[in-house]
Amino acid sequence: MGQVVIGVDLGGTNLRTALLSPDGKVLDRQKEATQAVIGWKQVVFRLIRNIQRLEAVARQQGMDVAAVGVGAPGVIQMDKGIVVKSPNFPDWNNLPLKDELERALCLPVAIENDANAAALGEQWRGAGRGIDSMILLTLGTGVGGGIVLNDRIWQGADGMAGEIGHMTLIPEGRQCGCGNNGCLEMYASARGIVRSYREALGSADTGAAAGITSEQVYQAARGGETVARRVMKDMGRMLGIGIANLINIFNPQMIVLGGGVKDAWDLFIGATQEEIMRRAFQVPAERTKIVPSLLGDDAGMIGAAAVALRAIER
Ligand SMILES: [Zn+2]
């Protein structure tokens, strides 16, 4: 019987589940709205139902599911598979997700932080294929990060490593949800871009820029609007400063940029590269390839499958 694994990306918005071959080919997949508001019991129930559906698909094709990997948002106690807390799931307090799933599925389950799983996914099957040290920055509503060093996720002593979005760039800068001021996320995320644009127009919450989306800022910049162009350039600079710090610390082979903001690549990447060359050491700065992600929204799910494979190989 052929062995396969299941990878799950448990996002605040979508629950993505896929059946993968051991070499990372997606054999089947499903996606549904997470609906975090229905409470943890219901979310876990749906998670189990989704996994069981794919298990049935595997069985029909004469394959056996060997393990399940789940990428979950928030603070996770890795060894025990406990979600300590999660911004997307307000009622998840010390939820023993690994135990809950293992009991229901009778399968080995491994839990990983979702951003770390996405980084591993890109390294395994995406932009970082064949590369053993790379960093993923997901520029979405916020800025997520994951660090893969020597083919392994760098989890840190508490499983909290890779919070690149909360690197301080401006000591007394914008107040961040994490409690710090001036985090990279406050400037290089979609939300940060919208805020910069509003501030540049001098209208914090009202007036011409109220209700504007990041896509509209990109569009305005592409149309040649001076303020929008400057906002995107400034965003690129902030990102470049953050990346220069990463290059000097980790000397990675590659930095992969994912998330919705990467659609505005042409509007910020020049300024990003300029800051990197200005601030990082020359040899590692020239080596580091800065590339867009290849897997997009699939990275977390595919990376979670890699986590499952590694858990059973150990
Ligand atoms: Zn922060």
Side-chain angles (χ1 to χ4, degrees), residues 17-301:
T17 319
L19 187 66
L20 283 94
S21 65
D23 60 352
K25 215 174 114 202
V26 176
L27 306 171
D28 202 347
R29 57 162 71 211
Q30 51 191 23
K31 177 179 141 183
E32 65 175 17
T34 307
Q35 294 181 300
V37 289
I38 59 179
W40 74 265
K41 272 192 184 148
Q42 285 299 315
V43 172
V44 171
F45 172 76
R46 291 154 69 92
L47 193 57
I48 291 165
R49 196 183 52 193
N50 274 272
I51 292 166
Q52 284 173 335
R53 255 189 238 143
L54 286 179
E55 242 191 313
V57 171
R59 223 174 293 125
Q60 276 165 13
Q61 298 176 16
M63 293 176 299
D64 201 16
V65 174
V68 177
V70 180
V75 180
I76 292 157
Q77 207 180 325
M78 302 285 178
D79 50 338
K80 299 200 172 94
I82 292 172
V83 181
V84 179
K85 59 178 179 177
S86 180
N88 296 318
F89 301 100
D91 68 332
W92 291 35
N93 292 308
N94 293 311
L95 178 72
L97 187 60
K98 177 182 159 81
D99 284 355
E100 291 278 345
L101 295 179
E102 283 186 339
R103 201 177 311 130
L105 298 164
C106 298
L107 282 171
V109 174
I111 313 283
E112 178 56 82
N113 169 276
D114 58 348
N116 288 350
L120 189 63
E122 282 292 341
Q123 188 249 349
W124 186 38
R125 296 295 298 175
R129 273 179 93 152
I131 273 175
D132 61 17
S133 295
M134 55 146 268
I135 297 170
L136 172 71
L137 271 87
T138 306
L139 312 171
T141 315
V143 172
I147 301 165
V148 177
L149 296 177
N150 297 331
D151 220 27
R152 297 185 59 170
I153 294 170
W154 179 255
Q155 292 176 323
D158 297 300
M160 292 283 294
E163 291 290 349
I164 297 161
H166 301 283
M167 177 192 296
T168 303
L169 290 189
I170 300 180
E172 306 306 329
R174 294 174 185 170
Q175 173 83 52
C176 180
C178 74
N180 186 22
N181 287 83
C183 293
L184 174 63
E185 173 167 304
M186 301 315 292
Y187 304 92
S189 63
R191 220 181 264 160
I193 289 166
V194 168
R195 179 157 170 191
S196 299
Y197 187 66
R198 282 181 179 170
E199 285 181 3
L201 290 182
S203 56
D205 284 308
T206 53
I212 198 162
T213 64
S214 51
E215 285 79 11
Q216 286 169 319
V217 179
Y218 312 156
Q219 219 171 17
R222 289 207 177 95
E225 196 200 283
T226 321
V227 174
R229 289 188 76 83
R230 198 181 64 229
V231 163
M232 291 311 297
K233 213 177 153 191
D234 287 347
M235 172 268 167
R237 285 195 59 200
M238 291 302 226
L239 180 64
I241 294 168
I243 292 178
N245 288 334
L246 294 173
I247 289 174
N248 280 347
I249 298 167
F250 294 104
N251 186 14
Q253 290 157 293
M254 181 180 275
I255 301 230
V256 182
L257 303 180
V261 179
K262 89 171 189 308
D263 298 343
W265 190 267
D266 55 307
L267 299 170
F268 67 77
I269 197 66
T272 302
Q273 296 279 14
E274 242 170 66
E275 289 300 323
I276 293 170
M277 295 316 290
R278 203 177 128 208
R279 294 174 194 273
F281 284 102
Q282 191 187 347
V283 170
E286 282 175 353
R287 152 187 294 281
T288 312
K289 291 192 185 80
I290 316 287
V291 301
S293 74
L294 283 184
L295 301 181
D297 291 341
D298 287 350
M301 177 180 86

